[in-house]
Amino acid sequence: MDKVLILEAILLISYTVADLVVFCHTGAEPYTLTGCVFAVCGLENGVMGWIKTNKDKAEEAARTRGGDKKADPVEPFTEREEPPDVGI
């Protein structure tokens, strides 16, 4: 994921520079293309963040329950005392 983030940063910086060059040359900005490029990169970063968060939550859950060990089953309570008012 770190490589993808670095690649996206390079892409966005180079796109911004190219966009400025086009704007200085023609006097118009390709605003639809700019919106689409930043939307796709934002969506990709959001999905990667969601994946990382879910991985971290799964690792934390595995750590707190001790890996894949299952808890010892609790035996049901079989002996039950009668309350003192039975038979009144």
Side-chain angles (χ1 to χ4, degrees):
M1 285 188 185
D2 293 337
K3 291 178 184 178
V4 173
L5 287 174
I6 292 170
L7 190 68
E8 280 187 13
I10 293 169
L11 172 89
L12 289 176
I13 290 170
S14 61
Y15 177 79
T16 303
V17 169
D19 193 22
L20 286 173
V21 169
V22 168
F23 180 73
C24 289
H25 187 322
T26 64
E29 178 195 2
Y31 59 89
T32 304
L33 180 62
T34 301
C36 290
V37 167
F38 279 90
V40 166
C41 288
L43 179 68
E44 177 68 23
N45 289 334
V47 169
M48 285 193 313
W50 179 71
I51 290 170
K52 180 139 178 86
T53 302
N54 283 344
K55 274 187 183 178
D56 290 345
K57 284 181 183 178
E59 288 174 3
E60 182 67 28
R63 237 179 304 157
T64 56
R65 70 172 181 245
D68 291 336
K69 295 179 186 176
K70 292 186 178 180
D72 294 332
V74 178
E75 293 183 21
F77 187 68
T78 55
E79 293 183 25
R80 208 167 116 167
E81 295 179 19
E82 292 185 17
D85 62 344
V86 170
I88 296 182

